[in-house]
Amino acid sequence: MTTLLPLPLRLPLPLPARSRQQQQGAGLVASLAHSPQSGRLGEKSGGGGLLAAESAPADAQVRQEGGSRPASPPSSSGSADGGHAPAPAGQKPPLPRRPFPSGLSAGNNLKKMKPNKGKACARERDFVYKFSAGNQHLVLTVPLKFPVQENISHLHGRLMLLHNLPCIVENDLKQSLNKFVEEETIKDYDREAEMALEAVKSGKVDINQLADNWAKAYKETTLEYAKPEETSWDEDFADVYHDLIHSPASETLLNLEHNYFVSISELISERDVELKKLRERQGAEMDKVMQELGKSLTDQDVNSLAAQHFESQQDLENKWTNELKQSTAIQKQEYQEWVIKLHQDLKNPNSSSISDEIKVQPSQLRESVEGNGRIYEEQRLLEESFTIHLGAQLKTMHNLRLLRADMLDFCKHKRNHRSGVKLHRLQTAMSLYSTSLCGLVLLVDNRISSYSGIKRDFATVCQECTDFHFPGIQEQLEIIQKVVLKARAQRSSKSKRHHGNKNSGNEDKCKNIERNQSNILPGEFYITRHSNLSEIHVAFHLCVDDNVRSGNVTARDPAIMGLRNILKVCCTHDITTISIPLLLVHDMSEEMTIPWCLKRAELVFKCVKGFMMEMASWDGGISRTVQFLVPQTISEEMFYQLSNMLPQIFRVSSTLTLTSKH
């Protein structure tokens, strides 16, 4: 019987310090080795057991050099048969150590866990390590499958613990194992390279296809050989426009935009006149038919005439819609081509046509016809401005404005003020591609469309002037609608997977959401971009329901949380000016009394103050301008009450008067 001499170092001393990850892996193997279920490790021990078995192959053996059978490693008690030391009194003896099943190997179990990323033809080789323990010479044999997938350091630590190897061989075993794996891996690579070269020499592989694959791999993985990233037309035009709007040619650009604006406005006026005449004529015809109803005409005749009128209106509207779409497309193409040409001419100092191109003639400015019924009336504007400081230690200064105005006043162009048009638009145009954008919050219903309410009015204002930088309002809404449908489908499928068994209330809510996949929920919002509006670049369309008209809105209401998310988007996308409806309504109604207005304004003021203080952690404390808008129908007395409330909630900066001692 082969025996191993007891070593003094095998007494119950701890193993040399290894990394925590190695110790955890070694402990896992040790616990599995002592478990009575280790014989069925592949069935019940789970992923941890499989990983342990992979990293410490079952066929690893420690035998005495020259012996005929595996030798048991020396135990801490010095026994030669690998048994355990007697258990202390009152404790159960440790379970007998059982070997891993012979069929459980690294390569086989790795296929159960995940697909093998190595070569299809895996080869198994024996790692042989010889060491001496006293006057005996021992050999450790570990079968490894190449390419080796497991971590070598983890495998080394588990071998040390599983086979009770003396700590004096730890470093040498690790070096030998690393060297063996590296050498055998290089041999495999060399063998595969030789086979690949032979395949090319024999003509089994197309050299041209191989060269194309290599070139593609280099371009996709190596920056030196990659193609330079090509900028899009939109990016090039944005850079060109930004340069021109900050040059002497800015006045020319604004005048050209104004001429295009007047041209589209005239088309819209003609469309409105024709539609008005058509409705008047159809109304007269319907009155005549209704007078003859019951005498010579029947209900069927009335329905037939109504259908004809509807078709006539649809045809006329489609005709003007197509004409406007064609006109805006032509204007956009001409404008962009002219901007690119002007920018190229400005780069060429020898060009003689530059001065003529950027010269402004007053006679070239077209004026819209006054008295056509589409000039927006200007009402007396009430405004109060405040400067505040927010923050506990590092204070940030912000500007607050309280205005009595219509939300769309920030979008409409002033057509009948020729001298003020350029100044009115200049700041908006210069900040179009900057880090100081202007935003506006519109309160809309849950349908993504432009057919009713303030959505229709906003779309009408957007269509009055061609957008030379972004898609039109209708095109943006169509894109948003597709995104909402896709998001709803993903949320619905995820909800069905994770919340299959819910109560009836949740089921009704899910059914309602599924029934209206194209609608958004209260508190959600979508964003549109614009370059053709008077003072804003971004519009936030916040969905609200009828609850905002009641008096029970709290700080956790979806509309309030929607404002918080909008302010967060402003922080992350360089929107430094935002206009918010203070009362969360655009129009006043009978139930909105003075106490109702004061309560709602106080709620919005306090919530916005909290959100602005939270913004300091989002953007590092950037000064912003927040404009609170109240409806135009509100009384002056109510406006000044709200103006007095604002400095009581926000910390308004106090002025200092410096006087001399003398």
Side-chain angles (χ1 to χ4, degrees), residues 402-613:
L402 179 65
L403 299 95
R404 186 183 71 172
D406 188 358
M407 273 291 182
L408 297 182
D409 289 344
F410 296 94
C411 307
K412 301 170 183 175
H413 290 283
K414 309 299 185 296
R415 316 180 201 183
N416 55 339
H417 298 288
R418 184 182 67 184
S419 59
V421 167
K422 293 175 291 185
L423 298 178
H424 200 67
R425 278 278 302 156
L426 181 60
Q427 184 176 1
T428 306
M430 294 182 68
S431 59
L432 180 60
Y433 298 103
S434 69
T435 57
S436 56
L437 302 176
C438 300
L440 177 75
V441 178
L442 292 177
L443 305 177
V444 299
D445 54 26
N446 60 349
R447 295 184 298 273
I448 303 177
S449 63
S450 59
Y451 301 129
S452 62
I454 195 171
K455 297 186 297 183
R456 180 183 57 191
D457 299 336
F458 179 75
T460 301
V461 175
C462 293
Q463 293 170 356
E464 289 179 350
C465 185
T466 303
D467 197 321
F468 302 108
H469 302 266
F470 306 115
I473 180 65
Q474 295 297 337
E475 186 177 350
Q476 293 191 51
L477 292 179
E478 292 175 0
I479 296 174
I480 293 171
Q481 186 71 70
K482 295 178 181 178
V483 173
V484 169
L485 290 173
K486 183 178 180 181
R488 286 283 181 265
Q490 293 178 349
R491 291 183 182 179
S492 178
S493 60
K494 185 177 181 180
S495 178
K496 289 180 180 178
R497 289 196 305 266
H498 294 82
H499 306 284
N501 299 324
K502 292 294 182 180
N503 53 29
S504 59
N506 290 338
E507 290 178 359
D508 295 339
K509 183 178 179 180
C510 294
K511 290 180 180 179
N512 187 29
I513 295 176
E514 293 177 1
R515 193 181 303 117
N516 303 308
Q517 289 285 333
S518 60
N519 295 343
I520 60 177
L521 302 177
E524 296 179 339
F525 61 93
Y526 53 93
I527 304 173
T528 55
R529 303 173 298 166
H530 308 276
S531 66
N532 57 339
L533 300 181
S534 178
E535 300 181 36
I536 70 166
H537 308 100
V538 179
F540 296 93
H541 304 257
L542 176 61
C543 176
V544 295
D545 52 12
D546 294 336
N547 187 46
V548 295
R549 294 185 172 271
S550 64
N552 55 358
V553 175
T554 63
R556 304 301 298 177
D557 191 83
I560 299 294
M561 301 310 298
L563 286 180
R564 176 186 180 274
N565 295 329
I566 288 175
L567 290 176
K568 190 170 185 179
V569 172
C570 293
C571 292
T572 56
H573 292 80
D574 298 326
I575 301 174
T576 57
T577 301
I578 183 69
S579 300
I580 299 173
L582 177 61
L583 304 180
L584 299 181
V585 293
H586 292 309
D587 300 312
M588 300 296 292
S589 57
E590 295 180 357
E591 68 271 11
M592 299 176 186
T593 59
I594 293 179
W596 185 96
C597 294
L598 294 176
K599 180 181 178 181
R600 176 63 55 83
E602 182 181 6
L603 173 66
V604 175
F605 278 148
K606 290 182 177 180
C607 291
V608 171
K609 178 184 178 181
F611 300 154
M612 293 177 67
M613 296 181 66

Side-chain angles (χ1 to χ4, degrees), residues 15 79 87 325 367 390 507 649:
L15 288 175
S79 61
K325 186 180 297 184
E367 289 300 317
L390 293 179
E507 290 178 359
I649 296 177

Side-chain angles (χ1 to χ4, degrees), residues 104-122:
L104 194 62
S105 61
N108 294 335
N109 290 301
L110 194 62
K111 294 178 182 178
K112 297 178 183 179
M113 295 174 60
K114 58 184 179 179
N116 192 355
K117 296 182 181 179
K119 298 296 180 181
C121 50

Side-chain angles (χ1 to χ4, degrees), residues 42-320:
E43 300 177 4
K44 294 187 177 181
S45 57
L50 291 177
L51 183 60
E54 293 162 15
S55 300
D59 299 333
Q61 298 177 354
V62 181
R63 60 183 177 84
Q64 185 178 11
E65 190 172 4
S68 58
R69 72 175 198 175
S72 301
S75 64
S76 59
S77 61
S79 61
D81 57 353
H84 295 275
Q91 295 185 5
K92 295 182 179 180
L95 295 173
R97 180 176 298 177
R98 301 179 60 182
F100 289 113
S102 58
L104 194 62
S105 61
N108 294 335
N109 290 301
L110 194 62
K111 294 178 182 178
K112 297 178 183 179
M113 295 174 60
K114 58 184 179 179
N116 192 355
K117 296 182 181 179
K119 298 296 180 181
C121 50
R123 299 179 178 88
E124 184 176 290
R125 299 179 182 85
D126 289 340
F127 166 66
V128 180
Y129 177 71
K130 300 179 181 179
F131 63 98
S132 299
N135 59 353
Q136 294 187 355
H137 301 285
L138 305 177
V139 178
L140 172 66
T141 304
V142 182
L144 297 175
K145 282 198 173 184
F146 285 82
V148 179
Q149 301 291 337
E150 56 266 32
N151 187 282
I152 301 300
S153 298
H154 296 173
L155 174 61
H156 162 260
R158 287 164 181 156
L159 288 175
M160 289 291 299
L161 183 64
L162 182 63
H163 297 284
N164 293 331
L165 300 179
C167 60
I168 57 176
V169 302
E170 181 178 8
N171 294 332
D172 188 53
L173 173 63
K174 187 174 183 179
Q175 294 177 2
S176 301
L177 184 59
N178 285 326
K179 182 178 180 182
F180 174 77
V181 172
E182 182 179 357
E183 291 178 351
E184 294 299 325
T185 303
I186 293 176
K187 290 180 181 179
D188 286 344
Y189 288 154
D190 293 341
R191 189 179 301 107
E192 293 172 3
E194 292 293 338
M195 294 173 61
L197 291 175
E198 290 296 332
V200 173
K201 292 179 181 178
S202 61
K204 296 180 180 179
V205 178
D206 186 6
I207 298 180
N208 296 328
Q209 183 180 1
L210 183 62
D212 293 340
N213 294 337
W214 277 5
K216 182 180 178 182
Y218 269 100
K219 290 179 181 179
E220 292 179 353
T221 58
T222 308
L223 181 62
E224 182 180 357
Y225 299 98
K227 291 183 178 180
E229 184 177 356
E230 298 180 358
T231 57
S232 63
W233 163 260
D234 294 336
E235 294 176 352
D236 292 337
F237 180 74
D239 294 337
V240 169
Y241 180 83
H242 187 72
D243 293 339
L244 288 181
I245 202 64
H246 290 82
S247 71
S250 59
E251 191 174 7
T252 307
L253 290 177
L254 297 180
N255 288 333
L256 182 60
E257 292 178 5
H258 178 69
N259 289 339
Y260 283 143
F261 160 66
V262 173
S263 177
I264 294 296
S265 298
E266 291 176 354
L267 282 178
I268 294 177
S269 299
E270 294 178 9
R271 179 200 64 183
D272 294 345
V273 170
E274 282 199 25
L275 288 174
K276 182 179 179 181
K277 290 181 179 179
L278 178 62
R279 294 190 183 100
E280 291 177 353
R281 186 174 65 253
Q282 290 178 350
E285 293 178 359
M286 184 61 67
D287 291 340
K288 293 180 180 180
V289 171
M290 294 301 295
Q291 292 177 0
E292 297 295 329
L293 181 62
K295 300 177 181 178
S296 60
L297 299 177
T298 61
D299 293 340
Q300 185 176 1
D301 296 329
V302 176
N303 294 336
S304 177
L305 181 62
Q308 293 177 7
H309 288 175
F310 179 76
E311 291 179 2
S312 300
Q313 289 186 14
Q314 289 294 317
D315 293 340
L316 185 60
E317 290 179 356
N318 292 335
K319 169 199 167 186
W320 280 105

